[in-house]
Amino acid sequence: MTPGEQILYETAEKIYALEKQGKKILRLNIGEPDWRPPASAINQVSTALRKGHDKYASAAGEKELRERIAQIHQCRSENVVITPGSKWGIFMLLAQQAKPGENVIAFSPHWTGYESMCRGIGIRLQFIRLKEENNWKPDFEELTSAIDAGTRMIVLNSPANPTSHAWSEREEKELISIASEKRIPVLADDAYRDLCFDGRPDRPFTEEIRIAHTFSKTFGMTGWRLGYIIVPELLARQSIAFNQRSISNVPVFIQEAGNRLLIQKKKLAAKARKNCQARAGLAARMLGTKTEMVVPNAGFYAFPKIPASIPLPAFLDALLEKGIGVAPGPAFGNNPHHIRISLCRENKVLRPALEKITETVEEMTSSAT
Amino acid sequence: MTPGEQILYETAEKIYALEKQGKKILRLNIGEPDWRPPASAINQVSTALRKGHDKYASAAGEKELRERIAQIHQCRSENVVITPGSKWGIFMLLAQQAKPGENVIAFSPHWTGYESMCRGIGIRLQFIRLKEENNWKPDFEELTSAIDAGTRMIVLNSPANPTSHAWSEREEKELISIASEKRIPVLADDAYRDLCFDGRPDRPFTEEIRIAHTFSKTFGMTGWRLGYIIVPELLARQSIAFNQRSISNVPVFIQEAGNRLLIQKKKLAAKARKNCQARAGLAARMLGTKTEMVVPNAGFYAFPKIPASIPLPAFLDALLEKGIGVAPGPAFGNNPHHIRISLCRENKVLRPALEKITETVEEMTSSAT
C-alpha cells in the first residue's frame, strides 16, 4: 500500500469499527455520486441479457458504443477502446507508455490511484505541487524544469480529485503545448470533466493527448465499471491486445446500457453539474469563514484547510465522534491541514453535517488558543 | 500478437470476409458454450440493480460470494479473490509470481492465452509437450528436467484446451508433489474442471496450489466476466491490492447473480457435463475412423489429427468452402495436422457438420494418394 492508500484504509477501518459499535457515521469520506443512472439503463441490461448479449465480445468494445464516443470526441472509432472504468484505462496506458525507472508527472493534490499504479508498475511519479494561495493554478516554469529525459507522460488531472478545481481552457492548452514541444503525451484524466460548472464541451481528441473517461461520476455508475480511452490508433491496437490478454472485454449488456445513456448525456450531465454547483456553493458559504477554501469550480468535493493550530488527527476523531467521516488531506499528497469532504448528499443531510464541521473547527480553535 | 493469436485472428478474419460475401459459416472455431445461465441469474441482475447494488465495492469481492466459494473449495474466504474472468486471475498471478526473465512451465497443446500473457509480462513460457500416442499423458521425467532455478510456476492446464483431456487425479497429485518438493507453486487452471466426464469433486484448496476458476464454461457466462482465484492469504491480499489499482471490483450485480448460480452448481454442472459427454461421444464415433483422435474425457472440444498427407491450410479452406469454421491446431502449439472443433451445437447442427468434416478428410485423402 502507498501512504495515501494506507491513510484512506485506516479511515475506512475506523469508521467500520465505530459502526460495529452501533454508531451511525455519515460517510463523506467516499468519492461517489448519490445520483444513479435512469431506469432506462437498468432496463437495457435486462433486455440485453434476455437477448443473449452475454457472450465473448470484442476486446475493443462494441462498435456502436465506440462510434458514438468517437462522434462525441470528434475522432475515429478506431481511436476508442472500451475499458472497465477509467482506472483500467489509466493503468493500461501507464503500463504501456512508461517502463520501470522512467517517470510520469502529475499535479498534486492528487488522486491516490496514480501513486499505487505507478508503484505497482515501477514507474517514478513526480509531482508538481499546486498552491492554494495561487488558487490551485499551475506554475508552468516549474513544470518545464521537472521534465527530464525519462519523462514519458504528463497527467492533466483536471478537474482534480480532491480539490474539485478545473484548470482554465487556456491553462490546459499551455500544458499541452509545452508537452508537445518535448514530444511527451498528455494523459487527460477526464473522470470529472463533465462536472465542470462552466459546462465546457466534450474534449476533442488530438494526437498529442490520451483521454481517459468514465461513466462513473457523470452517470452515477461507479460500480458498473464502464469507461474508455481515446488514443492514437497504434496505441489503441496495443491497448486492445492488452485487454485481450487480461480482461477480455467489458460485458456487452453493460456497454449497451452505457450507449443508451450517452444519447441523453447532455441532459444528464447538466443535471448532475447543477447539483454539484449548488452543493459547492453551500459548502463555500458554510465553511468559508472558518476554513481556507478555494471555491470549487467542478466536481463534488470540498477541500478546506483547517487552522494549522488544530492537530488533524484530533480533528478527524472529533468529527467521527459527531458521526461524520471525511478523508484526511495527507491521503492526497502533502496537505497536513486539509480534509476532503464528499458533498454527495441531499441538502437536508449535507447542511447539518457542514454545520458540525464548522462548529468543530470553532471549538478546537478556541481550545487551541 | 503471438503466433497462436495470429493464426486464430486470421481464421476469424477469413470467416468474417466469407460472411460478408454472403456465405453462411458455422463457427465451430470458437470455444464458447451454447448453454446459458438460467433466468433466475438474469432476474437477479435486475433485482440487484433496482436495489442500487451498483456502487464501488470491495476489490476482494462480495463477502457472501467469497464465503460460498470458500465452502465449495474447503478453504477460508480470505483465500478467495473475485476476478473479471479466470483470465484476469491467471494474468494477475503470472504478473505477481514471475518477473521478466524468469520462467513458467505449461503443458502443450495449450491455450493461446498463456503465451500472450507471458509475452506481455516478459516471462519465458516453457512447454512440456504431451503426446497423442501416450493419450496426452504427462511424462514426469521430462517435467523434472525442465524445472530450473528460474521456474516460478507450473501450470496444470487440465482439462486442457484444445485437447479436452483431463489428467487423472493420481497424475495431478504426482505433479503437485514434484512441484512442492522444488517449492514451486502449481497454478490449476480449472476453467473446464466442472466438465470432467467423471464428475470429479470441486478441487479442495491447499497451500501449494493456486486455483483459477471461472463461471464462463460451467454456466455458459463467457461474456459476464466472472471468475475467482484461490491462493494463500498473503498472495490474496496482494491480489486484492492489484485489483484495487487496476479494475477496482467486479460489478456487485454480476457477483450476486453468480452467487445464486453456485447454489445450483451441482445440478447445472451435471447437466452441462452430460451434454458435453454425449457430444464428445458423437464426435469420437463420427471422426474416429477417418482421423486419429484421443477420445475426450472432459470439456467440449474435439482435437482430431487429420492424415499428414493432407495439407492443413487446404483442408481448412475446403471446410470453409462447405460452410464450417474450425480452429487450426498450430494455434495451440506444434500441432501441424490437428484441428480443434468446438462441439457446442445441438445435435441436428453438429452431426451434419461432423459428417462434412469426415467427408472432406476422405475426399482429400484419396486425392492425395
Side-chain angles (χ1 to χ4, degrees):
Chain A
M1 263 198 241
T2 60
E5 284 179 311
Q6 184 67 30
I7 293 165
L8 289 184
Y9 173 77
E10 282 166 14
T11 306
E13 285 296 303
K14 220 170 207 176
I15 292 174
Y16 182 65
L18 286 169
E19 286 175 337
K20 264 195 123 170
Q21 289 166 31
K23 204 158 167 65
K24 230 191 133 185
I25 307 286
L26 183 65
R27 297 172 177 236
L28 301 184
N29 55 317
I30 295 170
E32 188 156 56
D34 58 337
W35 54 88
R36 299 196 54 229
S40 60
I42 292 170
N43 295 338
Q44 184 61 44
V45 172
S46 309
T47 308
L49 278 172
R50 277 196 207 97
K51 281 187 188 163
H53 298 179
D54 62 350
K55 296 288 188 182
Y56 284 133
S58 162
E62 292 301 285
K63 201 164 179 287
E64 295 71 20
L65 181 57
R66 293 172 79 198
E67 279 172 356
R68 192 178 305 279
I69 291 167
Q71 220 169 22
I72 290 175
H73 293 278
Q74 302 169 40
C75 62
R76 302 182 59 208
S77 62
E78 286 81 356
N79 296 115
V80 180
V81 182
I82 307 301
T83 58
S86 60
K87 188 190 265 186
W88 175 254
I90 296 169
F91 176 84
M92 186 160 68
L93 288 175
L94 286 172
Q96 290 183 96
Q97 300 253 278
K99 279 195 285 287
E102 297 178 335
N103 73 82
V104 161
I105 294 174
F107 297 86
S108 188
H110 61 275
W111 177 50
T112 48
Y114 305 133
E115 267 184 286
S116 38
M117 287 174 185
C118 285
R119 183 185 281 201
I121 302 165
I123 308 170
R124 192 161 55 86
L125 183 58
Q126 277 203 80
F127 289 115
I128 308 284
R129 175 79 196 169
L130 302 178
K131 292 176 194 74
E132 197 162 24
E133 50 273 31
N134 297 344
N135 284 318
W136 305 125
K137 278 181 185 307
D139 176 340
F140 289 112
E141 274 176 34
E142 212 180 319
L143 169 67
T144 306
S145 63
I147 296 172
D148 65 25
T151 305
R152 290 291 166 269
M153 193 134 71
I154 300 171
V155 183
L156 172 55
N157 44 329
S158 159
N161 169 4
T163 61
S164 265
H165 180 81
W167 294 24
S168 70
E169 304 217 47
R170 202 187 44 72
E171 287 163 347
E172 289 197 348
K173 274 204 185 113
E174 189 160 348
L175 171 72
I176 293 166
S177 120
I178 290 171
S180 301
E181 212 166 274
K182 307 233 176 190
R183 297 178 182 277
I184 299 170
V186 169
L187 168 59
D189 177 356
D190 280 347
Y192 298 90
R193 164 110 180 172
D194 299 327
L195 304 177
C196 283
F197 300 161
D198 61 8
R200 63 187 72 176
D202 293 296
R203 188 187 296 281
F205 171 70
T206 55
E207 288 288 318
E208 64 266 32
I209 57 171
R210 288 92 181 86
I211 297 173
H213 209 324
T214 175
F215 286 66
S216 291
K217 315 292 178 181
T218 313
F219 300 105
M221 296 170 78
T222 49
W224 291 57
R225 314 314 301 140
L226 180 60
Y228 55 87
I229 55 170
I230 310 182
V231 296
E233 277 192 45
L234 174 64
L235 186 53
R237 283 196 297 275
Q238 291 165 343
S239 301
I240 294 164
F242 198 116
N243 272 350
Q244 181 57 40
R245 66 176 178 261
S246 56
I247 55 120
S248 276
N249 59 267
V250 173
V252 172
F253 51 88
I254 287 180
Q255 293 188 56
E256 286 188 14
N259 193 14
R260 211 185 161 96
L261 285 169
L262 285 186
I263 304 174
Q264 314 170 59
K265 180 175 175 182
K266 276 220 167 89
K267 197 186 77 185
L268 293 169
K271 196 176 152 191
R273 190 159 60 229
K274 272 189 187 161
N275 209 341
C276 288
Q277 190 167 12
R279 289 165 175 184
L282 178 71
R285 284 193 302 280
M286 293 187 63
L287 300 168
T289 57
K290 301 294 166 194
T291 68
E292 283 174 55
M293 185 171 121
V294 180
V295 180
N297 62 1
F300 47 68
Y301 301 112
F303 194 61
K305 184 180 180 179
I306 61 167
S309 59
I310 305 175
L312 190 65
F315 182 75
L316 296 171
D317 284 344
L319 281 190
L320 283 175
E321 198 50 47
K322 295 185 183 179
I324 296 166
V326 300
F332 313 99
N334 183 21
N335 317 292
H337 305 294
H338 284 80
I339 58 172
R340 190 194 73 177
I341 309 165
S342 170
L343 304 173
C344 292
R345 286 296 186 286
E346 45 182 347
N347 266 3
K348 69 171 181 200
V349 177
L350 189 58
R351 192 183 285 270
L354 292 170
E355 223 153 69
K356 280 184 200 164
I357 294 172
T358 315
E359 261 171 38
T360 312
V361 174
E362 275 171 2
E363 286 161 19
M364 294 186 79
T365 315
S366 51
S367 75
T369 53
Chain B
M1 263 197 240
T2 60
E5 284 179 310
Q6 184 67 32
I7 292 164
L8 289 183
Y9 173 77
E10 281 166 14
T11 306
E13 285 296 303
K14 218 171 208 175
I15 292 174
Y16 181 67
L18 286 168
E19 285 176 337
K20 265 195 120 171
Q21 288 166 30
K23 200 156 170 68
K24 229 190 137 189
I25 306 286
L26 183 63
R27 295 171 179 238
L28 301 183
N29 55 318
I30 295 170
E32 187 157 55
D34 57 337
W35 53 89
R36 298 198 53 229
S40 60
I42 291 170
N43 295 339
Q44 184 60 44
V45 172
S46 309
T47 307
L49 277 172
R50 275 193 210 98
K51 283 186 185 162
H53 298 179
D54 61 350
K55 296 292 190 178
Y56 283 133
S58 162
E62 291 301 284
K63 201 165 177 290
E64 295 70 23
L65 181 59
R66 292 172 79 198
E67 279 171 357
R68 192 178 303 282
I69 290 167
Q71 223 170 17
I72 290 175
H73 294 278
Q74 302 169 40
C75 62
R76 303 183 59 209
S77 61
E78 286 81 357
N79 297 114
V80 180
V81 182
I82 307 301
T83 57
S86 60
K87 187 189 266 185
W88 175 254
I90 295 169
F91 176 83
M92 187 159 67
L93 288 174
L94 287 171
Q96 289 182 99
Q97 301 252 279
K99 278 195 286 288
E102 297 178 336
N103 73 81
V104 162
I105 294 174
F107 298 86
S108 188
H110 61 276
W111 176 48
T112 46
Y114 305 133
E115 269 186 286
S116 38
M117 288 175 186
C118 285
R119 184 184 282 203
I121 302 165
I123 309 169
R124 192 162 54 85
L125 182 59
Q126 275 202 81
F127 289 114
I128 309 282
R129 174 81 196 168
L130 301 178
K131 292 177 195 73
E132 196 161 25
E133 49 275 30
N134 298 343
N135 283 320
W136 303 124
K137 278 181 185 305
D139 177 338
F140 289 112
E141 276 176 35
E142 212 181 320
L143 170 65
T144 308
S145 64
I147 296 172
D148 65 27
T151 305
R152 290 290 166 269
M153 193 134 73
I154 300 171
V155 183
L156 171 55
N157 44 326
S158 158
N161 169 6
T163 61
S164 265
H165 180 80
W167 295 24
S168 70
E169 303 217 46
R170 204 186 44 71
E171 287 163 345
E172 289 198 349
K173 275 203 186 114
E174 189 160 347
L175 170 72
I176 292 166
S177 118
I178 291 171
S180 299
E181 213 165 274
K182 307 234 177 193
R183 298 176 180 279
I184 298 169
V186 169
L187 169 60
D189 177 356
D190 281 348
Y192 298 90
R193 163 112 181 171
D194 299 326
L195 304 177
C196 284
F197 300 160
D198 60 8
R200 62 186 73 177
D202 293 296
R203 187 187 298 281
F205 171 70
T206 54
E207 288 287 319
E208 64 266 32
I209 56 171
R210 288 95 181 83
I211 298 174
H213 208 328
T214 175
F215 286 67
S216 291
K217 315 292 178 181
T218 313
F219 300 105
M221 295 170 80
T222 48
W224 291 57
R225 312 315 302 138
L226 181 60
Y228 55 88
I229 54 170
I230 310 182
V231 297
E233 278 191 45
L234 175 63
L235 186 52
R237 283 197 297 276
Q238 291 166 344
S239 301
I240 293 164
F242 199 117
N243 271 351
Q244 180 56 42
R245 67 174 177 263
S246 54
I247 55 117
S248 276
N249 59 268
V250 174
V252 172
F253 51 87
I254 287 180
Q255 293 188 56
E256 286 188 15
N259 194 15
R260 213 187 159 94
L261 285 170
L262 285 186
I263 304 174
Q264 315 169 57
K265 181 175 174 179
K266 278 218 166 90
K267 197 186 77 185
L268 293 171
K271 196 176 152 191
R273 190 161 58 230
K274 272 190 189 162
N275 208 341
C276 288
Q277 191 167 9
R279 289 166 175 183
L282 178 71
R285 284 193 302 280
M286 293 187 65
L287 300 170
T289 56
K290 300 293 166 196
T291 68
E292 283 174 54
M293 183 170 122
V294 181
V295 181
N297 63 0
F300 47 67
Y301 301 111
F303 194 60
K305 184 178 177 180
I306 62 167
S309 60
I310 304 176
L312 190 64
F315 182 75
L316 296 172
D317 284 343
L319 281 189
L320 282 176
E321 197 52 47
K322 293 182 182 181
I324 296 166
V326 299
F332 313 99
N334 183 20
N335 317 291
H337 304 295
H338 285 79
I339 58 171
R340 189 194 74 177
I341 308 165
S342 170
L343 304 173
C344 292
R345 286 296 188 285
E346 46 183 346
N347 267 2
K348 70 171 183 201
V349 177
L350 190 57
R351 191 183 285 273
L354 292 170
E355 222 153 70
K356 280 185 200 165
I357 294 173
T358 316
E359 261 172 38
T360 311
V361 174
E362 276 172 2
E363 286 162 17
M364 295 186 77
T365 316
S366 51
S367 77
T369 52

